[in-house]
Each structure stands twice: as C-alpha cells, then as structure tokens.
Amino acid sequence: MNIIEVKDLKKSYEDGETPTIALAGVTFNVRKGEFLAIMGPSGSGKSTLLHLLGLLDEPTSGNYHFNGKDTSKYSGNEIAGLRNREVGFVFQAFNLLPRTTVLENAKLPLVYSEIPEREWNDRAMKAIESVGLGNRAGHQPSELSGGEKQRAAIARALVTDPEIIFADEPTGNLDSKSGRNVMSILQKLNEKDGRTIILITHETATAEHAERIIHLMDGAIESDEKVTNRLSADSDYVK
C-alpha cells in the first residue's frame, strides 16, 4: 500500500513578472515502510519537495494523496493535526531549544498532540532511549556533541510515533562517523520498526542507506532507481 501518491506536482514562486519554478511536475509513489532518498544539486527542488510532502507548504498545482486521502481537501487545522500525528521531522540544523534539556526537547511535539500529559515523560524517555541517549536526557544541547544533538532531534521526531519521518540533510553538520551513526539509526527505524523514511541528501554514501533513490534536476525527476548495494545499518552504531 502506498503512503504517498504524487501526480504532476508543481511549485512556483512569484518573482516579479517571471515566476520561479521550483518543481516542474513530479510523479511518483512511496509505499508504506519504504526508505526513499531524494538527491539533487542545490536548486534542484529537493527541499521544496520535502516541504510539500511534509505538509509544510502547498503545491501550486498537481495532486498529493497521503494515506489515500487528497491533501487539498483538508482544512488548515486538519493539516496541522495530520502533521503532528503522522509526520516527524529531522533537520540539518537540529532545531533544538538551546536552554532546554533533551527530555524537554523530546516532549515538545506532545504539547500540540491529543496524548494525555501524564504519558509525556514515559513517551519521551522511550524515544530518547531508542536512540541511545538515555544517560543524556537531563543535558542541554550545549553539552552534547553534534551527533548527540541529531539523535536528540530524532527522538523528538519519534515521540508521537509518526508513520513517516522526513530527514532533511540530517548528516550535513556532522563528522563522517557521527553521520554514519545517525544513518544507522534511521535505517534501523525503517528495517525493524517498519517506519517510512524520506531522506533529502546530496551525499551518495548517505543516500545508499535507502532502498531507492530519486534524483532531481531542475525541478524534475531525472532518475528513480532501486539501490543495488544498500549499506548496512550496523556500521559504527553506538548504543
């Protein structure tokens, strides 16, 4: 079953008299439990596509079905609720609150959820422990390494138990070992938990943790191929 179905999706921005075309009409599906990487150079449209798929922005035209439902039929409140329940985000810059502990950062999405407050601590700790940061739950971001910050961000993305995780250049600010560690965590979430992962990256080695790679060029799909030599999830993983 497909979790995402996209048909002729386009996005343009008004820039004086001539609109800037960010997506020129892309069509593809993502099945539930798939790990998809989207690659392309700067300006290819990959971040624009992630924002559309993650319900952070609306397309100029085209169709986007999420779990079989046309997203254009949702109200703003319904989109916000869907984004909170079903979607988790991991960004290159971590986006952690600086003077707040890992535990409090992980609990943030729960504030806007329908999950009872009495469950927040347990849910957050479970997510933190799942990424190997149980002993750092009381630390603030300034006390963490780059890799630990990204693991804290993954824990925050997991806390509402979303069906799909969007990771936008999650290794971009990390050294190579920390980057492999983060990708190993994402791959284990896909392989063991059946979580759908959509990864944005410009790094081939990072993309090869996925099952499939879509290459974008100038807002269009240049290729859409299976990964034949997928990297292992076990290398350099720190418990």
Side-chain angles (χ1 to χ4, degrees), residues 15-224:
D15 184 16
E17 295 182 1
T18 305
T20 299
I21 298 173
L23 284 179
V26 297
T27 298
F28 63 93
N29 298 329
V30 181
R31 58 179 170 78
K32 287 190 176 183
E34 188 172 11
F35 193 150
L36 170 68
I38 299 173
M39 296 189 69
S42 296
S44 63
K46 58 186 187 294
S47 291
T48 297
L49 180 56
L50 179 137
H51 286 136
L52 296 180
L53 298 180
L55 304 170
L56 296 170
D57 198 2
E58 297 179 0
T60 303
S61 63
N63 300 106
Y64 176 23
H65 285 72
F66 185 94
N67 263 339
K69 296 182 180 179
D70 187 346
T71 58
S72 69
K73 306 299 184 186
Y74 286 104
S75 69
N77 285 338
E78 287 171 330
I79 286 288
L82 182 65
R83 193 167 56 231
N84 180 264
R85 293 189 308 272
E86 304 293 342
V87 176
F89 295 97
V90 179
F91 296 103
Q92 178 176 346
F94 318 128
N95 292 355
L96 299 172
L97 295 183
R99 288 179 290 279
T100 305
T101 64
V102 170
L103 178 61
E104 294 301 318
N105 268 286
K107 288 182 351 185
L108 279 176
L110 298 172
V111 175
Y112 306 100
S113 75
E114 297 177 356
I115 297 167
E117 189 172 355
R118 64 180 179 273
E119 298 180 18
W120 291 2
N121 267 17
D122 287 346
R123 275 180 171 264
M125 279 306 304
K126 181 180 178 181
I128 290 167
E129 288 167 357
S130 76
V131 299
L133 280 184
N135 63 337
R136 309 288 271 169
H139 290 67
Q140 295 184 4
S142 61
E143 301 172 294
L144 305 179
S145 68
E148 288 171 334
K149 289 176 185 177
Q150 195 59 287
R151 284 195 271 159
I154 294 172
R156 182 184 56 198
L158 290 173
V159 76
T160 59
D161 195 25
E163 193 161 2
I164 184 168
I165 291 178
F166 293 96
D168 190 0
E169 299 280 7
T171 63
N173 284 338
L174 306 179
D175 61 68
S176 58
K177 183 175 181 178
S178 296
R180 290 193 300 270
N181 193 23
V182 163
M183 290 311 303
S184 179
I185 292 172
L186 291 175
Q187 194 169 341
K188 285 173 184 285
L189 289 171
N190 171 250
E191 293 178 351
K192 295 187 176 181
D193 297 353
R195 199 95 50 178
T196 305
I197 310 286
I198 295 183
L199 166 74
I200 300 293
T201 183
H202 65 278
E203 300 169 339
T204 300
T206 299
E208 288 176 347
H209 284 272
E211 302 171 89
R212 171 184 164 207
I213 300 175
I214 288 177
H215 285 267
L216 292 181
M217 180 65 72
D218 298 328
I221 293 177
E222 186 176 49
S223 64
D224 183 347

